[in-house]
Amino acid sequence: MQLLIAETVLHHLNRTKIHTTKKLQKLVKALISTDQNGDCGKLGKWNATVFYVDRKKCWLLTNGLTKYNVVLADIKTADLKIIDLIFKEAFHKQLMFDGITVEFEKLDSIIGELVFLPTDNDRKTTGFQNHRLQELDWWKYEFGSLENMPIRDLTNRMNDAPIKIGKGYQMSAYTDSIEEMKKLLIE
């Protein structure tokens, strides 16, 4: 019983901060918190932006540490009440698709509570997201409608692209988001 209580308390102590772009912030005003205190937790901070496919709102969330991407497709205003669950399930499914096996309960405890914050003006991550959105625009023409787009596969393509995480220009400075997320989650 005490272990269950301790896990519940720990779950509530974990917080995952998601900084929104100004465009997304306007759409989710009710979710935005001004309390920026507290640590980001094991996953660090995320950045979220909105894009449209067939006039349907989709979110691109990018992890600041690993540049790992998660896409939430067709998010409606009613979904904002359960956005924590929608994100956690989409993240878990994307991890599984990318070959990173982690139990949902473990992932849920690592993420904890989602805290949506105003933009942090992280230009590096914003530039990274804009590049990924250009790729998505190109794929929109290939697949047509949102229903025909294999979201997990397209996100996998983004996560599998070479990125530079380290310093310098040696080959060791280059990796991909899947490998970096694997290092972060699997201890």
Side-chain angles (χ1 to χ4, degrees):
M1 180 69 169
Q2 286 181 331
L3 180 62
L4 181 61
I5 293 170
E7 284 180 7
T8 305
V9 169
L10 181 63
H11 175 76
H12 290 293
L13 292 177
N14 286 342
R15 295 170 38 142
T16 298
K17 293 181 178 181
I18 300 177
H19 292 274
T20 58
T21 59
K22 289 182 180 183
K23 194 188 311 187
L24 180 58
Q25 185 178 339
K26 288 177 186 175
L27 298 172
V28 297
K29 285 179 190 168
L31 293 178
I32 303 299
S33 171
T34 55
D35 176 24
Q36 298 202 21
N37 296 330
D39 294 332
C40 287
K42 184 176 183 174
L43 294 176
K45 64 130 182 145
W46 291 70
N47 288 74
T49 189
V50 65
F51 66 99
Y52 295 87
V53 178
D54 296 334
R55 294 182 293 185
K56 294 177 182 166
K57 292 178 201 125
C58 302
W59 294 15
L60 173 63
L61 294 104
T62 304
N63 180 266
L65 297 173
T66 64
K67 302 300 183 245
Y68 191 85
N69 298 289
V70 176
V71 172
L72 307 181
D74 196 15
I75 299 297
K76 297 172 181 60
T77 303
D79 295 332
L80 298 181
K81 295 175 188 166
I82 57 168
I83 198 68
D84 286 37
L85 181 61
I86 292 170
F87 170 72
K88 290 174 184 179
E89 286 180 351
F91 185 26
H92 185 253
K93 287 176 184 173
Q94 190 63 50
L95 288 170
M96 300 302 277
F97 190 93
D98 290 340
I100 303 173
T101 304
V102 60
E103 294 293 323
F104 181 82
E105 291 75 20
K106 179 181 177 185
L107 185 66
D108 184 37
S109 71
I110 290 170
I111 294 170
E113 173 192 8
L114 295 185
V115 179
F116 290 89
L117 299 166
T119 184
D120 62 350
N121 294 318
D122 179 349
R123 290 181 181 203
K124 186 174 182 181
T125 303
T126 300
F128 182 83
Q129 284 183 315
N130 288 338
H131 182 73
R132 296 301 176 233
L133 289 174
Q134 285 179 334
E135 292 173 350
L136 280 169
D137 272 343
W138 188 67
W139 291 326
K140 278 194 272 188
Y141 292 110
E142 183 180 337
F143 294 101
S145 68
L146 181 62
E147 290 76 24
N148 293 334
M149 292 178 76
I151 296 296
R152 302 251 182 278
D153 178 51
L154 297 178
T155 307
N156 172 266
R157 293 181 198 184
M158 291 189 291
N159 289 333
D160 198 32
I163 59 170
K164 182 175 171 270
I165 295 280
K167 298 202 184 310
Y169 293 98
Q170 296 85 11
M171 284 303 292
S172 61
Y174 292 87
T175 183
D176 64 57
S177 300
I178 294 172
E179 284 304 312
E180 292 303 305
M181 185 55 76
K182 202 179 287 186
K183 289 177 197 173
L184 192 61
L185 286 176
I186 300 174
E187 303 166 316

